[in-house]
Amino acid sequence: MKQFTPLAALTLAAGTLLGSVAVAGSLQEPTVEAPLISPAPVIPSSDWTGFYTGLQLGYADMDGPAALDGNNNTYGFHAGYDYDLGNWVIGGELDYDKTDVDLGGGAANVDSVARLKFKGGYDLGNTLVYATAGVARADTTVGNETGPFAGIGITYKVTDRYTIGAEVLEHRFSDIGGTAGDDLDATTFNLRGSLRF
């Protein structure tokens, strides 16, 4: 039987040590990846000053004397300018709605409504709530009529350049087609999308 020598013991210890280092992993420096950093969200500016233009979709409900009632969908465009005074915003706008409201089973038809608006509202940052009033012109098959309107609206800034909103307006038209007493009340509701410049 051979004897166990100190040289054999040293060889055995060195082999065990090298084997355990090899099992532990590579001798290369580990690669550290940089952490992912998401970009900060873009918060739209709360300044409402500037020109804007856009499109709208809506609904009109019109009530007249006797059976001169009707309703239908509307679509159109708008353009205006707002001026931000700090907490308050004032502005003006032109808008136009195309429609086909049949009044009284064909006695008359409302083809379109155009409006000149004046607006005043409160600046809530990215949201603007406002009241509006002005003059509207209804184009009908029995003649055109001009009358006042008033309403309320809300606009929200999705980005600095794009806004969405909604508006409800109440109109009064007197003597449609030149007939005394043929007064027409119209309520419109619009959803709006605008680009700001």
Side-chain angles (χ1 to χ4, degrees):
M1 179 174 215
K2 296 185 180 178
Q3 287 194 349
F4 193 68
T5 64
L7 182 59
L10 186 60
T11 304
L12 181 61
T16 305
L17 181 61
L18 288 176
S20 64
V21 169
V23 171
S26 171
L27 296 177
Q28 294 180 339
E29 290 284 327
T31 304
V32 178
E33 294 184 19
L36 293 176
I37 300 173
S38 11
V42 177
I43 299 172
S45 162
S46 63
D47 185 10
W48 291 90
T49 299
F51 288 98
Y52 62 90
T53 186
L55 301 175
Q56 59 208 28
L57 292 173
Y59 181 78
D61 183 22
M62 302 187 177
D63 298 316
L68 286 181
D69 298 334
N71 53 66
N72 206 345
N73 297 326
T74 65
Y75 60 94
F77 63 90
H78 55 269
Y81 184 84
D82 287 330
Y83 187 74
D84 197 330
L85 300 169
N87 290 334
W88 299 96
V89 177
I90 59 173
E93 180 181 299
L94 293 171
D95 84 5
Y96 176 84
D97 278 332
K98 183 70 177 158
T99 189
D100 186 17
V101 178
D102 185 11
L103 299 175
N109 207 54
V110 179
D111 298 321
S112 64
V113 178
R115 303 173 193 89
L116 173 61
K117 298 178 176 177
F118 300 98
K119 296 171 30 178
Y122 192 73
D123 182 353
L124 297 169
N126 293 335
T127 303
L128 174 66
V129 291
Y130 62 89
T132 182
V135 62
R137 178 183 170 103
D139 181 13
T140 76
T141 54
V142 293
N144 300 325
E145 186 57 46
T146 302
F149 76 89
I152 57 172
I154 185 167
T155 303
Y156 175 75
K157 275 190 179 181
V158 178
T159 68
D160 278 337
R161 297 217 41 215
Y162 183 67
T163 62
I164 57 175
E167 195 173 73
V168 177
L169 304 175
E170 187 67 31
H171 308 71
R172 299 279 186 267
F173 300 106
S174 301
D175 304 334
I176 295 293
T179 305
D182 279 358
D183 299 340
L184 185 66
D185 297 336
T187 303
T188 60
F189 172 76
N190 278 326
L191 296 175
R192 300 155 50 96
S194 306
L195 283 175
R196 303 189 71 87
F197 304 97

